[in-house]
Amino acid sequence: MSPRTGTGSSTAARVIAVVADIMAFVIGLWILMYLLEANRANELVEFVRESARWLAGWSHDLFTFDAEWARVVAGYGLAAVVYLFIGHAVAGRVRRF
């Protein structure tokens, strides 16, 4: 048995987990910026907002709370949790091969 056995799947699993973490981080960063009322005229803030909107396109208006902050936290937060859960679950399965 070679000492390199399984390193390809381990690397792939690590990449999958890191991508999921980055996606969740971008969404979480937008939630934080929104709650702290970051200046939307700033290019970084706008880039993070647009990226998070694209990543959470399927969930950003899923909830209909009266308070907008609650809709942002719930909708975008759900997307972040789903990306983390699915990304790490897939990484775990890949790592087992």
Side-chain angles (χ1 to χ4, degrees):
M1 184 165 169
S2 168
R4 294 186 49 96
T5 303
T7 58
S9 63
S10 177
T11 301
R14 195 169 322 132
V15 168
I16 292 168
V18 167
V19 168
D21 291 345
I22 291 170
M23 292 165 65
F25 175 77
V26 168
I27 295 170
L29 184 58
W30 167 242
I31 293 171
L32 182 63
M33 288 178 167
Y34 178 85
L35 292 175
L36 295 175
E37 298 180 6
N39 178 8
R40 293 196 188 173
N42 181 284
E43 290 182 25
L44 175 63
V45 174
E46 187 60 20
F47 174 77
V48 172
R49 185 191 70 79
E50 288 176 7
S51 299
R53 173 83 180 218
W54 184 80
L55 290 169
W58 57 272
S59 70
H60 78 274
D61 280 337
L62 191 61
F63 301 99
T64 58
F65 297 113
D66 289 335
E68 186 173 346
W69 69 266
R71 288 192 304 270
V72 169
V73 170
Y76 285 91
L78 174 64
V81 169
V82 167
Y83 286 131
L84 284 174
F85 178 76
I86 291 175
H88 285 267
V90 169
R93 295 289 285 182
V94 169
R95 194 172 286 122
R96 290 185 196 136
F97 285 111

